[in-house]
Amino acid sequence: MIRSSAVPVALFAYNRANILKRTLDCLKNNKIEVLYIFCDGPKDNIDDQRKVKEVRDLVAGISWIKPNVVEQDKNIGLDDSIRKGVSHVFQEHDKVIVVEDDVQVAPGFYSYMSSCLNHFEGNKSVAGVTALRYPFPQKVFKGYPYDVFFAPRFSSWGWGTWRDVWEKIDFNTNNLKRRIKIVKPDVVSAGVDMKGMVKELTSGTLHGGWDIYCALNMLLNKQYFVWPRKNMVENGGFTDGTHAGAEPPPWSLSWEADRKFYKNLRLPEDLIMDEKVLVGFRSFFEQIV
């Protein structure tokens, strides 16, 4: 296993070269040192094959870093791509930062993620780190002394975790249903919308949902994600590719963190729960539901 201070970034791509280019530019500006790119294969039609080739040509032309590229011959879908890709990185590294092709990250994103992953490594109550902050009111942070907070919710937009956490995630629905009966987790503590997503997962009506598996494992294990008080991600995929034609959410994201935030990052030594911040965090999901 590679032991180094450089945390690898795993980037997942499929058939959206125009969006991927913006995401690659963001990662270049973050001066990352180790990059894995997982390219899903085409579906069985000429148009998709053309789009996938555009992505692979773009990846082949990267000159600012020498990425480790893994290409699929056939389309395996996002779920398998994420699960296999993250496991692949953990064959050589003990932590990872994950970015999908439509997640554009702010300058300083990599510094923040690396600092948090190094700082909270080994804390059994922490399942991972995200650079996303949903747009709930900043006023809940008045008097709060840290630049991160903890919430029992998983985030798939610009996130990271450790090998020992990932290897313990149970993706078996029947196992999770049995554990739910025993543990009786407080699902809505992660947001009122989580109840419906968990119900879809356990009933078999949710197709895919790798991130919901991660979220449910966190709730069952009583674990938390580290969230920033200032947002560092944007999502550029709602009007293109897979999301084309879908109605975008009634809220938007914009980068909030500045150089001062990254340079003087205030991290608690251990898990700190702040009820005022959590109430503000959960209020966002109450509004969207």
Side-chain angles (χ1 to χ4, degrees):
M1 180 177 297
I2 297 173
R3 299 287 182 181
S4 117
S5 58
V7 182
V9 172
L11 174 61
F12 291 86
Y14 169 35
N15 68 355
R16 298 186 286 182
N18 58 331
I19 290 179
L20 176 62
K21 185 181 185 305
R22 298 202 299 270
T23 300
L24 284 168
D25 287 342
C26 290
L27 293 176
K28 178 182 178 181
N29 290 336
N30 271 269
K31 296 180 173 60
I32 64 174
E33 299 178 48
V34 181
L35 176 63
Y36 288 79
I37 304 180
F38 297 93
C39 300
D40 201 359
K43 296 177 182 176
D44 192 19
N45 65 76
I46 294 176
D47 187 53
D48 204 44
Q49 292 168 3
R50 175 185 60 80
K51 291 179 179 178
V52 168
K53 184 180 184 302
E54 289 176 355
V55 164
R56 297 188 179 187
D57 288 346
L58 175 62
V59 170
I62 295 174
S63 59
W64 52 272
I65 194 171
K66 186 177 180 180
N68 301 281
V69 181
V70 178
E71 298 178 344
Q72 298 293 334
D73 294 330
K74 297 181 179 180
N75 187 267
I76 63 174
L78 181 61
D79 265 52
D80 280 350
S81 187
I82 293 282
R83 289 171 59 177
K84 291 180 179 180
V86 171
S87 296
H88 178 88
V89 174
F90 281 137
Q91 292 177 9
E92 298 292 338
H93 304 268
D94 55 11
K95 55 179 74 75
V96 68
I97 297 168
V98 181
V99 178
E100 294 178 36
D101 61 354
D102 57 1
V103 175
Q104 283 92 50
V105 297
F109 161 85
Y110 182 72
S111 172
Y112 160 81
M113 293 293 294
S114 298
S115 295
C116 287
L117 285 169
N118 290 327
H119 184 82
F120 294 106
E121 186 171 13
N123 190 321
K124 301 303 181 184
S125 296
V126 180
V129 180
T130 181
L132 166 68
R133 188 189 80 84
Y134 288 109
F136 59 92
Q138 277 278 2
K139 63 183 180 181
V140 301
F141 293 110
K142 185 176 181 179
Y144 184 70
Y146 302 109
D147 292 314
V148 298
F149 66 97
F150 302 87
R153 185 183 180 102
F154 180 83
S155 164
S156 63
W157 290 0
W159 64 283
T161 191
W162 304 270
R163 182 171 61 92
D164 59 342
V165 173
W166 179 256
E167 290 180 344
K168 292 175 183 175
I169 296 176
D170 192 345
F171 289 97
N172 184 292
T173 306
N174 290 329
N175 289 347
L176 294 176
K177 287 165 72 173
R178 285 192 290 267
R179 289 191 63 197
I180 287 173
K181 292 180 180 178
I182 297 170
V183 178
K184 295 180 174 59
D186 182 8
V187 175
V188 296
S189 67
V192 295
D193 60 328
M194 189 60 63
K195 185 177 181 179
M197 289 187 282
V198 170
K199 184 178 180 180
E200 286 186 47
L201 180 68
T202 55
S203 67
T205 58
L206 180 68
H207 299 290
W210 69 271
D211 52 337
I212 309 304
Y213 279 100
C214 294
L216 181 52
N217 274 268
M218 279 180 56
L219 289 163
L220 289 167
N221 296 332
K222 295 180 172 58
Q223 291 177 309
Y224 298 82
F225 243 46
V226 180
W227 297 74
R229 66 189 292 168
K230 293 189 176 183
N231 180 53
M232 285 163 266
V233 305
E234 295 178 350
N235 191 306
F238 285 113
T239 59
D240 202 345
T242 302
H243 300 289
E247 184 177 344
W251 47 270
S252 61
L253 296 171
S254 59
W255 296 340
E256 298 172 325
D258 53 23
R259 183 173 297 181
K260 182 180 179 181
F261 177 82
Y262 300 116
K263 187 176 181 180
N264 303 300
L265 196 60
R266 298 170 299 174
L267 302 176
E269 290 303 314
D270 205 348
L271 196 72
I272 300 293
M273 305 307 298
D274 188 283
E275 190 59 30
K276 184 175 68 172
V277 174
L278 278 173
V279 167
F281 177 78
R282 295 188 186 113
S283 69
F284 171 79
F285 305 102
E286 292 169 2
Q287 292 174 13
I288 64 172
V289 168

